[in-house]
Amino acid sequence: MHVERLWPDTRLRNYHYLVVCEETGEALAVDPFDAPLMLDAARRHGWQITQVLNTHHHDDHVAGNDALRAATGAKVLAHADAASLIPGGIDRGLAEGDVIRVGRSIELQCLDTPGHTLSHVCLFAHADQPALFCGDTLFNAGAGNCHSGDPVALYETFATRLASLPDATQVFAGHDYLINNLGFTLAREPDNTGARALRERLAATGPLDLPVTTLAEEKQFNTFFRLGNPQIIAGLREHFPDLPEEPTPREVFVALRALRNQW
Ligand SMILES: [Zn+2]
Ligand SMILES: [Zn+2]
């Protein structure tokens, strides 16, 4: 499996991905906004885009669907419940456990991951180096907003879907928010020296040169995976006096998500 990360330079700092079978050259285009950018990359390398995945229905993840379909005849895949929300509709509605094959060598497992929206999927690749295409559910050092979703559902997704994936899993998120998110980590957990060192090291790094993090690394610097951390809990109790002294992970997550909205 080859993953080509592309940078359309949008205001929202979207990442695009082409997931390519190295045996056949067939490719899955993940979350297209800038279709020409994806088509150019495929053409340059001799890849054929045969499928498009929308992790969810937001415009910056689906706007390139029609152009990719017109240019390649690719099929559009998304959560079955997102079908009516995606302009132009979809060709295959996905549910938990579905398998998406790309060429001969790639099998991606569909995870039903509500929270950012209520019809959001992530794809998990069983490979030598496992990989997760997680849209706006999990960001590098952060979590998606819940303006059109539900923070409790997002917590359940983190706790039941993401936390159980292998530590070596590479995190291919829908946006580049890493450096900004590390600022939130340090606001909540000033003693996180790893996060501080990483932010300093990457401060001047362009989006395509940023490292692809693993879940093991996320657990070190992503506040939304560090729900039992005493410094995080103490800081939250200053903002939310009703938060108990020993809050549940769910209470911590929901409070963090609320605080992140104002940060
Ligand atoms: Zn979104
Ligand atoms: Zn987005």
Side-chain angles (χ1 to χ4, degrees), residues 30-104:
V30 179
D31 284 345
F33 178 77
D34 185 341
L37 179 76
M38 301 187 106
L39 289 166
D40 281 353
R43 201 173 296 125
R44 267 200 326 275
H45 290 94
W47 300 327
Q48 298 84 45
I49 298 173
T50 54
Q51 299 176 87
V52 174
L53 173 83
N54 301 143
T55 57
H56 64 294
H57 69 274
H58 286 160
D59 181 65
D60 56 313
H61 298 255
V62 307
N65 283 4
D66 285 348
L68 287 183
R69 258 196 186 122
T72 66
K75 303 288 186 215
V76 175
L77 288 62
H79 195 295
D81 294 345
S84 63
L85 303 171
I86 293 176
I90 65 174
D91 300 294
R92 179 180 171 192
L94 299 171
E96 171 73 26
D98 283 357
V99 173
I100 296 147
R101 292 189 172 78
V102 184
R104 271 199 297 269

Side-chain angles (χ1 to χ4, degrees), residues 94-147:
L94 299 171
E96 171 73 26
D98 283 357
V99 173
I100 296 147
R101 292 189 172 78
V102 184
R104 271 199 297 269
S105 63
I106 301 176
E107 277 194 6
L108 301 158
Q109 181 190 338
C110 177
L111 309 179
D112 189 357
T113 52
H116 172 66
T117 68
L118 297 180
S119 52
H120 189 300
V121 293
C122 295
L123 296 188
F124 177 72
H126 296 274
D128 294 342
Q129 168 110 58
L132 183 71
F133 299 91
C134 44
D136 291 359
T137 294
L138 166 65
F139 291 129
N140 304 117
N145 71 52
C146 300
H147 303 321

